[in-house]
């Protein structure tokens, strides 16, 4: 396995902290398949019935909810993992994954993945990954049910901010508004109000949460 691919796999949530030689052996035993993709390619669409996990090796992928292809849920970087819910859950897509550039995936099917779960390091990482997904979804639900545009925005910022209270907005503000189920005008009004009240300070694509104790 090429050095660059091995380095990417070490950042994957499934293999974090695992020995590199063990990763390569597990992938060989599980007959993982490398799959090149092009911009616009989609995976885990509603009618595909796919039961496999994917690991992004190179390129850019965006995750959407089925029927909500204009509202991104997540953007995957190399080492990103998807398809776990399709592997363990009921049939039917829970998300749609769309390629934003050329790149390459590593796919592992349902039966082949059993080899991975037998490894203690991978099994522990899988439990941690699923737990993190549950927490992520709980935070999403909380942001959707928070009162008012300001409440949703502050809760979102408190979730993505680093230790210094700084949150970098990777998407456009229009996409952020959609992800928070807000109108674009409502988002800008909330930003202006929170800045006037001294809760946040905007610096181009970064927002500093000045009063996290108000959340």
């Amino acid at each position: 396995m090429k050095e660059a691919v091995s380095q990417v796999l070490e950042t994957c949530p499934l293999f974090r902290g695992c020995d590199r030689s063990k990763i390569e052996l597990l992938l060989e035993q599980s007959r993982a398949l490398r799959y090149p993709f092009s911009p616009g390619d989609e995976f885990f669409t509603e009618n595909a019935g796919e039961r496999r996990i994917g690991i992004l090796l190179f390129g850019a992928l965006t995750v959407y909810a089925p029927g909500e292809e204009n509202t991104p849920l997540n953007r995957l970087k190399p080492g990103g993992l998807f398809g776990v819910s399709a592997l363990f859950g009921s049939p039917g897509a829970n998300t749609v994954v769309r390629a934003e550039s050329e790149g390459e995936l590593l796919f592992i099917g349902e039966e082949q993945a059993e080899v991975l779960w037998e490894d203690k390091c991978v099994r522990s990482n899988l439990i941690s990954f699923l737990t993190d997904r549950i927490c992520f979804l709980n935070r999403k639900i909380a942001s959707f049910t928070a009162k008012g545009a300001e409440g949703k925005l502050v809760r979102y910022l408190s979730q993505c901010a680093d230790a210094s209270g700084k949150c970098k907005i990777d998407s456009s503000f229009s996409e952020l508004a959609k992800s928070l189920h807000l109108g674009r005008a409502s988002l800008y009004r909330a930003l202006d109000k929170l800045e006037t009240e001294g809760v946040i300070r905007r610096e181009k694509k970064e927002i500093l949460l000045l009063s996290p104790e108000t959340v």
Side-chain angles (χ1 to χ4, degrees):
M1 190 174 298
K2 293 183 179 180
E3 180 71 16
V5 173
S6 294
Q7 291 178 351
V8 169
L9 290 173
E10 286 180 326
T11 68
C12 175
L14 275 184
F15 303 118
R16 193 167 293 135
C18 301
D19 180 77
R20 180 181 295 188
S21 61
K22 175 67 73 67
I23 296 173
E24 295 178 359
L25 177 61
L26 287 171
L27 292 176
E28 182 180 342
Q29 291 174 338
S30 64
R31 302 197 300 278
L33 297 176
R34 293 175 68 167
Y35 181 91
F37 59 79
S38 302
D41 286 352
E42 291 188 345
F43 313 96
F44 293 87
T45 56
E46 290 183 272
N47 298 321
E50 293 163 292
R51 298 185 71 89
R52 54 183 178 172
I53 56 176
I55 301 171
L56 178 59
L57 298 179
F58 306 107
L61 298 174
T62 302
V63 182
Y64 302 88
E68 298 288 341
E69 280 76 10
N70 293 321
T71 306
L73 296 175
N74 194 15
R75 286 183 172 82
L76 297 178
K77 299 177 181 179
L81 176 70
F82 64 93
V84 175
S85 60
L87 198 65
F88 292 104
S90 57
N94 296 309
T95 56
V96 174
V97 181
R98 181 184 300 157
E100 306 295 343
S101 68
E102 291 188 349
E104 191 172 20
L105 286 166
L106 197 69
F107 274 130
I108 305 174
E110 180 179 12
E111 294 183 3
Q112 290 74 25
E114 293 180 4
V115 174
L116 302 180
W117 316 145
E118 293 175 359
D119 182 79
K120 182 178 180 180
C121 179
V122 175
R123 190 166 59 249
S124 177
N125 284 339
L126 173 66
I127 294 171
S128 295
F129 175 81
L130 292 174
T131 301
D132 288 344
R133 291 295 87 193
I134 293 171
C135 292
F136 171 79
L137 291 174
N138 285 339
R139 290 196 299 268
K140 277 287 185 183
I141 292 170
S143 70
F144 293 153
T145 57
K147 293 182 179 179
E150 293 85 7
K152 288 185 177 182
L153 179 57
V154 171
R155 190 174 293 277
Y156 167 81
L157 294 173
S158 68
Q159 292 161 3
C160 72
D162 60 21
S164 66
K166 185 177 292 185
C167 180
K168 184 176 181 180
I169 308 299
D170 293 323
S171 61
S172 68
F173 282 105
S174 295
E175 290 176 329
L176 176 59
K178 290 178 182 178
S179 69
L180 294 176
H181 287 200
L182 296 174
R184 186 177 172 185
S186 296
L187 174 63
Y188 280 109
R189 283 196 297 270
L191 286 166
D192 290 339
K193 183 176 180 180
L194 291 174
E195 192 162 30
T196 300
E197 293 176 350
V199 178
I200 65 171
R201 184 172 69 242
R202 282 182 282 179
E203 299 174 355
K204 295 183 179 179
K205 296 288 287 185
E206 291 184 342
I207 299 176
L208 182 64
L209 192 61
L210 300 176
S211 303
E213 68 275 4
T214 64
V215 179

